[in-house]
Structures are given as C-alpha cells and as structure tokens.
Amino acid sequence: MASTRAIAQEAEGQPLLGNPDLPQPAGQRMRWAIVGLGTFGVGQVIPGFDGARHSRITAFVSGNPEKARELGERYGVSRLYNYDNFDRIADDDEIDCVYNVLPVGLHAEYTIRALDAGKHVLCEKPMASTSAECEAMIAAAKRNNRTLGVAYRVHFEPNNVHVLDRVRNGDLGAMRFISADHGFNANPDFPPHKWRLDKVLGGGGSMYDIGVYGLNTSLMMLPDDTPVAVSAYDSTPAGDPRFTEVEGALDWRVRMASGITVQGSSSYCWNPYVSRQRYFGSDGSIEMNPATTYYDNRINAEIGGAARAYTAGNAASQFAAQVDGFSQAARKGEAHRTPGEMGLRDIRLIEAMYASAAAGGQIVEV
C-alpha cells in the first residue's frame, strides 16, 4: 500500500497525457453574440454551441423581440439587442465575438459595424454581395485590430478534413480534376428560400448561396494551386416565375495555375437536393455524396484498385469545431483558418463567373 501511495504522490502535478483539448470553464470561454435568428441560426448555429469547448453564447440580436426572448429563456441568454440598438454592443464587455447569420445583402453592414464596435466577427458564407464590400470588411478588421473569418464550416467537418488529409498525403497521386455539383429546388413560399430569390438580399444568385460550397471546398483541396481563369454559362427554365431576379442555374469552370481544372454547377431548380464533390488523381479518386451537408456526409474512395465506402466522423461536430476554432484564433490574435481574404477570393471568382456568363461563356482571367 505504501508503494502505491508513493507512486501516486510522484504523479501529482504531471501533465495530462496527450494534452487533450479539455473544455474551458464557462467563465473563461469566448463570449458570442448571434446576429440573425433565422432558420439556419436557430436550427444549426445555436445548437452547435452545445458541443463547443471554448465558446458560449451571451447575446442575441434580432428584429423579432418575441423570438429573441423565447430563445433567451431556452438558452439562458439575457443580453438581447435589436437592429436599432445594435451598436450598443460596443459597451458590452460580455461580448467578444459576433456570428453574423443575416442574409447576404446585410453581411457587409453588420460585420463592419460589429468590427467598429471592437468585436471579432465570424461572417456566414458567402462573405458579401461584392468584392468591394469584402475589401471594406477586411479593412474594418485591420482598422480595429480584430479577427475576421468567413463561416466555411466544411474546413472543420471531419469527413472533408479526412479527404483533405488523404489528398495532402498523396493517396490519390497528383490531382488531375475536381468536379462539384450543389443545388436544390427553391420554394418561394418557404421563407428561408424566398430571400435567396431576391437579388439584393441573396447576394446575386445560386452561386453565392449554394454553389460557393463547391467552389470553396474544391479550392480547399488544392492549397498550393491558384485560380487563373474562369468561364461560366447560366440557364433558367423558360417562364419560371421564381427567376425574375436571379438565374436558375450556373455551370462554371476554373482553370488552375497547375494546368488542371475545377468544374462545377449550382442551381435553384434541381430536385432532389444535390451536394456532391469528386476528386480525381493519377492514382485514385474520391467521391463525397453528400459532401457538405449538416449531418450526413459520406466518402466513396477508389484507390489502388480497392473501393471503400465509409464515414470519418460525425458531420454535426463541424459547428462546434468552427466556433471554437474562431474563438481560439481571436483569443491569440491569429488569423482564422478561413479568413476574410479567402472570402474575398471566392467572391472575386464568383463575380468573374457571372461576368463570363453575361458574355456568353467568355473566358475571364482572374
């Protein structure tokens, strides 16, 4: 017994093996305000904080006071703001970070206002409606010495991260081609779809909302490559009343500096919902189908003559991982894994795609 006690005494004060990422006490976590309590914010973002280790919600911002109060009671959040008194968050020491979950057309305004209020900001994708707005958001972050990120959650989703690791490790050999297809059938009577068909609120079309997943995820798999040119064609079902302001679908292609291409499509008129990524290399290929959903992403690999279908982790964990990644970056004063500059890059590419489509598919250098 004495020898057992001696061993235990010698172990006192030793570090935890493996240095696990233990949850921080609530009082030490970065404190977040959620701006925009729509379907995505309420259904995905807010519940995602339940699994967070370094982040907690301390405030809600909404134009619907009844909804804000109800959610505040449900999640123990007492700080409630609206869009008229939003700038008062500057005086609230219980807010460190802001998650901007508003429609795209409002991203730039409320991101800049939050940065000017001295808060770090994670802005939902796409970053903004125009590259000029993105540049203004980045300038505001630098002016206020705050961290700015774009919520490209796929960079934190375990199945996509696993595929990225396989690409980096050379399991597919040299990358040869990537394709990406993302779309759904927009229902104008469903509020979360209705604003997407409004060009001002939705940013400008399907590529801004659903197609950006394919573009950003594809480029994630090519970290050492650079886009040099794009081309695109748009298409809209004749007489479809949904598409008076935005196109029905966009087919696009990105030429990379390495000589390979990334090809994709985005749509508001497909049924059923499509979320598919395909990666082709000299030694194998991987298809993810679904690829970028909230809860159910799957991997189909054909490498070395062997085929395997599997999952590499719980897709739902991406929401907690994303906010924790941002919290840690903001606390350390470091760039987020998906910074504002990445969002600007993607919007510039999307703008070039629409310019190409308007010119009948003409190649646009970027």
Side-chain angles (χ1 to χ4, degrees):
M1 178 66 70
S3 61
T4 302
R5 280 200 301 269
I7 293 173
Q9 290 169 350
E10 289 176 2
E12 288 181 3
Q14 293 183 359
L16 291 167
L17 294 178
N19 190 26
D21 181 23
L22 295 174
Q24 288 183 303
Q28 297 177 21
R29 299 186 183 196
M30 293 292 272
R31 299 156 295 185
W32 287 71
I34 308 301
V35 183
L37 303 181
T39 302
F40 179 68
V42 174
Q44 312 303 331
V45 172
I46 294 173
F49 276 80
D50 288 344
R53 295 167 175 262
H54 304 281
S55 317
R56 64 187 176 100
I57 301 173
T58 55
F60 290 138
V61 181
S62 174
N64 186 328
E66 182 177 350
K67 180 191 289 186
R69 282 194 298 269
E70 180 181 341
L71 287 170
E73 292 174 1
R74 185 185 306 174
Y75 291 100
V77 174
S78 60
R79 286 170 162 74
L80 306 177
Y81 294 87
N82 56 50
Y83 301 118
D84 292 328
N85 65 12
F86 176 75
D87 297 311
R88 287 172 52 191
I89 66 171
D91 301 318
D92 195 333
D93 292 336
E94 288 297 308
I95 299 174
D96 303 305
C97 305
V98 164
Y99 194 151
N100 184 346
V101 202
L102 292 167
V104 183
L106 300 173
H107 282 184
E109 176 186 350
Y110 282 89
T111 293
I112 292 171
R113 288 169 67 179
L115 291 166
D116 285 341
K119 311 304 179 183
H120 306 283
V121 180
L122 180 64
C123 181
E124 189 50 45
K125 64 83 202 160
M127 186 174 177
S129 301
T130 68
S131 56
E133 288 181 337
C134 296
E135 290 167 352
M137 295 159 75
I138 293 170
K142 292 179 178 178
R143 180 172 67 245
N144 293 287
N145 194 28
R146 299 290 89 180
T147 298
L148 172 62
V150 181
Y152 287 127
R153 55 184 170 76
V154 170
H155 291 248
F156 299 86
E157 195 280 312
N159 294 283
N160 281 275
V161 171
H162 170 81
V163 171
L164 174 59
D165 288 341
R166 299 204 71 171
V167 170
R168 284 176 168 168
N169 290 339
D171 292 355
L172 274 64
M175 292 301 296
R176 299 299 193 214
F177 177 71
I178 295 177
S179 70
D181 300 295
H182 296 260
F184 60 92
N185 201 31
N187 178 1
D189 297 323
F190 182 45
H193 288 186
K194 183 177 181 180
W195 66 261
R196 288 170 165 83
L197 300 174
D198 182 317
K199 189 171 184 177
V200 173
L201 282 179
S206 66
M207 196 63 207
Y208 285 84
D209 173 54
I210 190 73
V212 70
Y213 281 119
L215 173 64
N216 182 266
T217 305
S218 298
L219 295 181
M220 179 177 77
M221 301 296 173
L222 300 169
D224 300 321
D225 215 340
T226 305
V228 295
V230 306
S231 60
Y233 289 94
D234 59 15
S235 60
T236 299
D240 193 320
R242 293 176 296 176
F243 304 116
T244 58
E245 297 189 23
V246 300
E247 85 292 339
L250 193 80
D251 298 327
W252 53 270
R253 184 182 292 266
V254 178
R255 182 77 168 176
M256 305 299 292
S258 66
I260 72 169
T261 60
V262 178
Q263 179 177 302
S265 58
S266 71
S267 178
Y268 279 156
C269 54
W270 287 348
N271 195 12
Y273 174 88
V274 175
S275 171
R276 181 173 59 231
Q277 295 279 139
R278 294 184 294 176
Y279 307 103
F280 298 89
S282 59
D283 299 331
S285 66
I286 288 177
E287 177 181 39
M288 293 193 67
N289 187 16
T292 62
T293 62
Y294 301 152
Y295 305 116
D296 183 27
N297 297 321
R298 304 172 193 171
I299 302 166
N300 294 281
E302 293 189 25
I303 300 172
R308 180 188 174 200
Y310 63 102
T311 58
N314 180 4
S317 66
Q318 63 191 300
F319 295 101
Q322 176 176 244
V323 295
D324 275 348
F326 187 87
S327 288
Q328 291 172 303
R331 186 186 296 277
K332 296 175 183 177
E334 299 175 350
H336 184 47
R337 189 182 302 178
T338 57
E341 289 76 9
M342 180 182 290
L344 171 60
R345 175 204 66 188
D346 292 350
I347 294 300
R348 284 175 172 164
L349 291 171
I350 291 172
E351 288 176 334
M353 290 174 187
Y354 280 99
S356 171
Q362 178 178 324
I363 295 175
V364 177
E365 295 184 357
V366 294

